[in-house]
Structure formats: C-alpha cells, structure tokens
Amino acid sequence: MQISEQVIRNALPLCRDPAGWAPVLSAAMQRYEINTPARIASFLAQTGHESGQFNRLVESLYYTTPQRLMKVWPKRFPSEAIAAPYVKNEERLANYVYANRLGNGDARSGDGYKYRGRGLIQVTGRSNYAACAKALDLDLLNDPGLLIQPQYAALSAAWFWNSRGLNALADDRTGDDDLEDFTVITRSINGGTQGLKERLALLNALERQLA
C-alpha cells in the first residue's frame, strides 16, 4: 500500500514537503511490511509526532535555562549550578547526558553528540547506530549524518519499528484494546507517553484519510 502526498498533506498539514516524503515513506514501509491501514496509520502518527510532522530530523539539545534542564534530567541536574554550564551548549550537553550509555564512551569520547538522535524515530547511541547500520548496510558509525537524508530517515524509522515488533501491536485484533496497544507503541518509541494526546490526534486523522 502506497502512501500518497495528499494523505500526508491532509493528515499532517505542517509537513513542509509532502511530495518528497510520500515516496520514501512508501518504500520504507513496504520493506518492513508496514502495509495495512492500521499499521500505516500508527507508524505515520508516531513518526510524524517524533519529527514535528516530518520537519525535524536531528534531536534538539538546545536548552535556554537551567530550570528546563533540571526538569528534563532531574537526576543529572539536581541544581542550577550543575545545569548552568550546559545551557545553550548542545555538544557539551549531549556528551554528558549520553555518556556511558547506549554503547557510548565517556563524555570525552564525543559519542553522545556524534550519535545523538537522528531520523524520523530518533536513532540514538553508538549501539543503536551500529544495529541500524548493519540492517540498512550503511556506514553510520563513520557517517551518522546519513540519517538526516529523507530516504534513510524513513528507512531507519521503519527498521526500528520492525525491530521492536510494533506491527503486531498496530494490527487490528478483535477484542483487543487498541488504545492500550498504541500507548505501548508510544512507550517503545519515546520511553514514556510524552505527547500521547497529540499522537492520538494524528492517528485519528490518518485513519480517516486511509479509510
């Protein structure tokens, strides 16, 4: 099932390039069997939310106040004094908060910033870049910026979706709780349920377009 430019334009009106995204999303979804209305609606709702309706392909780590950093990473930044050096400094912040996690080295390695989130579902961390690189046959460890190219941004998201078994959760099953399944999908992608209301609104819009 191909996704059309018009479906994207109608359901995700803030997308700046629906004509460009339609073919690369269709190819990525076909490769990973995201090929029913239920699967497509869930996939596009989640990727659309994560990427600001397909406009943002790199994780933003630009914070303007210590208070915001303390709210996002309370354990990392228990005080304004600790948070202050990381305000408006994306590279330093990424290297700190992602150090010794997700296959990254310590803060001095630079891995946190090099392997910060990219793509429609933000692939993050050296180990995830390595797994994605193997699946897509791309040299992402040496050239992580490939994931901001629309083709690979879409493919990496479809690979992630498939690797977490999210087609099964998106499938329409009699007697199943679809909202709970969508919430579990959100947790698999986001680590929590941030933006669930907005994701559901996109899901509903997409379901109407694909009906």
Side-chain angles (χ1 to χ4, degrees), residues 27-34 39 135-136 155 158-159 162 167:
M29 290 188 295
Q30 181 177 5
R31 176 167 171 172
Y32 287 100
E33 298 184 341
I34 305 168
R39 293 178 180 186
L136 302 184
L155 272 173
W159 159 78
N162 180 71
N167 272 337

Side-chain angles (χ1 to χ4, degrees), residues 14 18 34 45 77 110 124 146-147 158-159 180 184 194:
L14 300 181
I34 305 168
F77 302 112
T124 307
L146 286 170
L147 290 188
W159 159 78
E180 177 59 27
V184 173
Q194 182 178 358

Side-chain angles (χ1 to χ4, degrees), residues 134-163:
K134 183 177 181 180
L136 302 184
D137 194 24
L138 296 172
D139 189 11
L140 296 178
L141 292 181
N142 289 314
D143 192 1
L146 286 170
L147 290 188
I148 66 173
Q149 296 182 21
Q151 174 188 357
Y152 300 131
L155 272 173
S156 64
W159 159 78
F160 181 95
W161 182 273
N162 180 71
S163 72

Side-chain angles (χ1 to χ4, degrees), residues 106-204:
D106 62 19
R108 291 173 296 178
S109 72
D111 285 350
Y113 187 69
K114 184 175 183 179
Y115 302 116
R116 68 196 185 278
R118 293 184 180 86
L120 293 181
I121 292 177
Q122 294 181 349
V123 176
T124 307
R126 175 184 277 273
S127 59
N128 286 320
Y129 271 79
C132 186
K134 183 177 181 180
L136 302 184
D137 194 24
L138 296 172
D139 189 11
L140 296 178
L141 292 181
N142 289 314
D143 192 1
L146 286 170
L147 290 188
I148 66 173
Q149 296 182 21
Q151 174 188 357
Y152 300 131
L155 272 173
S156 64
W159 159 78
F160 181 95
W161 182 273
N162 180 71
S163 72
R164 270 64 177 179
L166 300 183
N167 272 337
L169 286 171
D171 285 338
D172 231 349
R173 296 191 296 273
T174 303
D176 201 24
D177 187 336
D178 293 334
L179 176 57
E180 177 59 27
D181 285 341
F182 191 73
T183 303
V184 173
I185 291 172
T186 301
R187 289 196 186 100
S188 298
I189 292 170
N190 178 254
T193 57
Q194 182 178 358
L196 181 60
K197 181 180 178 180
E198 292 77 12
R199 295 170 201 262
L200 283 167
L202 288 177
L203 177 69
N204 292 333

